[in-house]
Amino acid sequence: MNLKDQILKEKLPAHIAVIMDGNGRWAKKKGMMRVIGHEKGTEAVRQTVEASAELGIKHLTLYAFSTENWNRPKLEVQTLMKLLVKSLKKEIKTLQDNNIKLTAIGALNDLPSKAYNELQEVIEKTKDNANMTLTLALSYGSREELVSAVKVLSDKVKNNIISAENIDESIINKHLYTQNLPDVDLLIRTSGEQRISNFLLWQIAYAELYFTDILWPDFTKEDLYTALINYQNRERRFGKTSEQLS
Ligand code: IPE
Ligand code: IPE
Ligand code: MG
């Protein structure tokens, strides 16, 4: 049986998040510049987006640029931003063809205006698509997200809009960039690194973590299927005992 057919439709994760890592090392191994790795990485994005939509995954979130990535060499940052604009222009068709809604999380105001405007345009054009939500994490950092949420919440408490006693998990959730997304069920990181790098710290509280050595530009639909099969073979206990689940 091929990999795709081994995936159980009734046990799909509602939300997959991916730390797309290894573009630079992929290029270096081939004696090419890092930016070529980023360019090749956009093909892996398309594969992953298409495969997820075809399977019926409802939410896919991709870590494309972190708050810490601003500290990379200026030229690399510029090239990544240009690549973002180019990909948005090119992939709008893939989004429309697959009925995918694009959203974004992060300190989006920090993006160069060209990237910001292109992003908003694609978000607007795809807002009624209902098959899958694709969320790009751009200038995203989980700690920055939490700091912003705390600021807004403290302001609301100060102005008697909510009382401190009433703050609970759901209220915190509603103040995060991810307010419209369910918790992450499956977090995938490529390139062999086994760390979270400031991605969705709150939202992955009970996610299953899947690490693979494959470098992001080499990641294919089959690799996504492999991750999903691995996920479906795990027992998610959420603090309970195995016996309680059956
Ligand atoms: C991931 O690949 C893309 C971004 C972080 C923007 P890297 O650029 O981090 O590639 P490596 O980790 O250096 O190989
Ligand atoms: C994480 O990758 C960020 C993205 C994939 C966008 P990095 O390559 O920036 O992470 P570290 O620095 O190795 O932890
Ligand atoms: Mg990296």
Side-chain angles (χ1 to χ4, degrees):
M1 199 165 36
N2 69 36
L3 287 173
K4 195 178 178 184
D5 294 337
Q6 292 175 44
I7 298 167
L8 307 171
K9 283 276 170 200
E10 63 281 7
K11 263 181 87 175
L12 286 176
H15 186 180
I16 302 179
V18 187
I19 303 174
M20 312 183 288
D21 197 15
N23 293 352
R25 278 163 284 167
W26 182 92
K28 194 172 176 190
K29 257 177 47 185
K30 294 193 151 48
M32 297 186 290
M33 283 175 16
R34 292 178 58 84
V35 296
I36 307 292
H38 295 314
E39 251 175 57
K40 189 73 182 17
T42 62
E43 280 173 39
V45 170
R46 189 183 317 121
Q47 295 292 309
T48 304
V49 169
E50 276 181 4
S52 302
E54 284 161 11
L55 286 168
I57 301 294
K58 283 292 156 198
H59 302 277
L60 174 68
T61 299
L62 303 177
Y63 204 6
F65 194 87
S66 73
T67 44
E68 290 73 24
N69 288 150
W70 290 113
N71 299 320
R72 291 194 176 190
K74 207 173 158 192
L75 190 65
E76 179 164 346
V77 172
Q78 280 175 353
T79 314
L80 280 166
M81 292 301 147
K82 274 190 202 153
L83 199 56
L84 172 65
V85 174
K86 192 175 144 191
S87 305
L88 286 166
K89 282 188 197 297
K90 191 171 160 201
E91 300 305 338
I92 173 98
K93 190 173 165 1
T94 313
L95 299 177
Q96 301 293 32
D97 288 351
N98 292 279
N99 196 17
I100 298 168
K101 170 179 165 163
L102 185 80
T103 62
I105 55 172
L108 304 180
N109 286 322
D110 292 344
L111 295 173
S113 57
K114 242 188 165 168
Y116 180 87
N117 293 336
E118 193 62 40
L119 184 66
Q120 294 304 336
E121 196 179 316
V122 179
I123 289 174
E124 172 62 28
K125 279 183 179 155
T126 61
K127 70 176 193 306
D128 296 322
N129 292 350
N131 196 21
M132 182 175 90
T133 303
L134 168 64
T135 303
L136 294 182
L138 288 164
S139 189
Y140 176 88
S142 203
R143 289 184 169 181
E144 188 276 326
E145 175 181 44
L146 290 166
V147 168
S148 314
V150 170
K151 278 188 183 156
V152 173
L153 271 171
S154 355
D155 214 51
K156 286 186 182 173
V157 170
K158 195 175 108 195
N159 292 301
N160 295 314
I161 298 168
I162 50 174
S163 73
E165 298 78 66
N166 286 340
I167 295 177
D168 58 10
E169 293 184 9
S170 105
I171 288 186
I172 292 182
N173 243 328
K174 284 190 189 108
H175 288 79
L176 301 177
Y177 295 130
T178 51
Q179 53 192 248
N180 297 319
L181 300 173
D183 279 352
V184 176
D185 295 306
L186 171 62
L187 174 73
I188 299 173
R189 183 172 189 146
T190 58
S191 90
E193 308 298 353
Q194 302 195 359
R195 55 175 171 262
I196 303 300
S197 302
N198 202 12
F199 191 42
L200 303 174
L201 299 179
W202 168 278
Q203 300 85 343
I204 61 166
Y206 258 106
E208 295 298 325
L209 309 182
Y210 179 84
F211 299 105
T212 168
D213 288 339
I214 296 164
L215 301 172
W216 179 251
D218 288 330
F219 195 81
T220 63
K221 289 187 178 186
E222 302 295 309
D223 297 317
L224 181 71
Y225 302 153
T226 304
L228 281 165
I229 293 164
N230 182 291
Y231 165 86
Q232 294 189 330
N233 282 315
R234 299 188 191 185
E235 183 178 60
R236 302 186 75 196
R237 289 193 287 278
F238 297 97
K240 296 183 179 173
T241 67
S242 194
E243 291 69 30
Q244 281 177 295
L245 298 172
S246 54

